[in-house]
Every structure is written in C-alpha cells, then in structure tokens.
Amino acid sequence: MRKGRVEMIVQKTTKEILAESIQELATKKSVEKITIKEITQNCGMTSTTFYNHFSDKYELLAWIYNVSMEPFLGRLGTDMSWRDCVRQSSFVLTENKPFYRNALQNTAGQVSFRYATNNFAIDLILERIRRNFGLIEIPSEICFYVVFYMRAISESINDWFLDGMKIPIDEFTDLLVQGMPASLAPYLK
C-alpha cells in the first residue's frame, strides 16, 4: 500500500455523461440541429436512457447551466449576496463561451435554453424567499416582481454575452442590481 494521498475514482452520473456529449457535439454543429439520437450515440447510451433523465435537449442544455448556478443561488441570503449571484450568472457563461453562445443563438421559444435556465432560477429564488422569510405563500406582487426582474436580467445577460461583453462584468453586475424593483429589494438584498 502506498503512503500519501489516496486518489478517489469519481464516476460520472448519466446526466453528466449526456451533458458532455451534447457539449462535444455543439463544438461541431448548432445545438438546434443536434438530435437526441446523436447525443446518445456519441456517449454509448440509448434514447430511453436519455428520456429517463431529460424530457428534451433543451432541458439538458438548461441542466448544464443550472448545475453551475445552483450552488450560488442555493446560498442566496446566507453567505451569498444578490450581487454575487448576479455576477456569477454572467461569469458562468464566460467559462464556456462557444457552448453557451451556440445554445443562446440557436434555440428559441418557450422551450429554449433561455427560458429553461430562467425558470429554474425563478423557482430557486422563490423557494429561497419562502424559506428565508418563513413564508407559506409569497405575496403575488413579489412573485410578479421576481419573474419580471429575472426575465429582464436573463435577457440583459444574454444580450451582454452575445454582444461581446463590452461592459466590464463588475460594472454590468452593478447595473443589473440597480435595476431591481424597489418592492423586491428587501427580499433579495
């Protein structure tokens, strides 16, 4: 037995393997043109396996981004400020620019990458507000502002990213935070 550091073998989950597969395929073609069959054949899985984990490729695309964001949104209101969450949501895109550019430019509609990631963030934020403020039901006005503000942030981040990130990330983050509706501020700051 060797002394010293022991390295653990970490097995990837099925979701992680499927995510790697679509990311690899997205280096060669538009995500809109990638099929479930291609995703599964690329990683040696079946379509049935895919559908056991995701309803479609858009849900898989969103899962990839959401896995990166969940640790930050999950800490909102504890040791993570709203500003830091907003900054991180912009930063995550820059870590894999070609893939996210492909996903943003080549999906559309209510099942798109944009909507799926935004809906995930909205759900996490509403749950965080519910828990942090001990609410059984969040006031309808606050629910409206969360959806309104998160849709605005999402579109702004997407435009900023696709337009070449011309505004420095910290300045951009400050602008997004300053645009928060006043009624929502006590719940997110």
Side-chain angles (χ1 to χ4, degrees), residues 53-180:
H53 296 279
F54 300 104
S55 61
D56 56 33
K57 68 182 172 186
Y58 304 105
E59 187 178 340
L60 170 57
L61 290 169
W63 182 84
I64 294 167
Y65 180 78
N66 295 340
V67 163
S68 299
M69 283 306 301
E70 192 167 16
F72 305 105
L73 288 170
R75 292 173 31 209
L76 178 63
T78 56
D79 66 335
M80 178 71 65
S81 72
W82 176 246
R83 184 192 184 285
D84 291 340
C85 281
V86 171
R87 185 181 191 285
Q88 194 60 37
S89 65
S90 302
F91 183 71
V92 165
L93 295 175
T94 67
E95 292 178 318
N96 191 350
K97 286 180 191 177
F99 171 72
Y100 287 118
R101 183 172 303 281
N102 188 341
L104 287 168
Q105 288 178 327
N106 297 301
T107 64
Q110 297 222 333
V111 294
S112 71
F113 173 75
R114 291 177 186 218
Y115 262 88
T117 56
N118 197 245
N119 288 341
F120 176 82
I122 288 168
D123 291 344
L124 275 178
I125 289 167
L126 290 172
E127 179 54 36
R128 192 55 60 187
I129 289 171
R130 200 175 285 111
R131 193 172 83 216
N132 288 352
F133 289 87
L135 300 172
I136 294 170
E137 192 171 318
I138 299 173
S140 59
E141 174 186 326
I142 299 307
C143 288
F144 170 81
Y145 281 129
V146 167
V147 172
F148 171 80
Y149 182 51
M150 289 308 298
R151 294 275 190 250
I153 282 181
S154 176
E155 287 303 306
S156 297
I157 290 172
N158 294 335
D159 290 346
W160 169 81
F161 177 73
L162 292 173
D163 195 32
M165 302 171 287
K166 294 175 183 165
I167 301 172
I169 194 167
D170 287 323
E171 183 182 333
F172 178 69
T173 300
D174 289 339
L175 291 169
L176 293 176
V177 171
Q178 291 166 13
M180 181 187 301

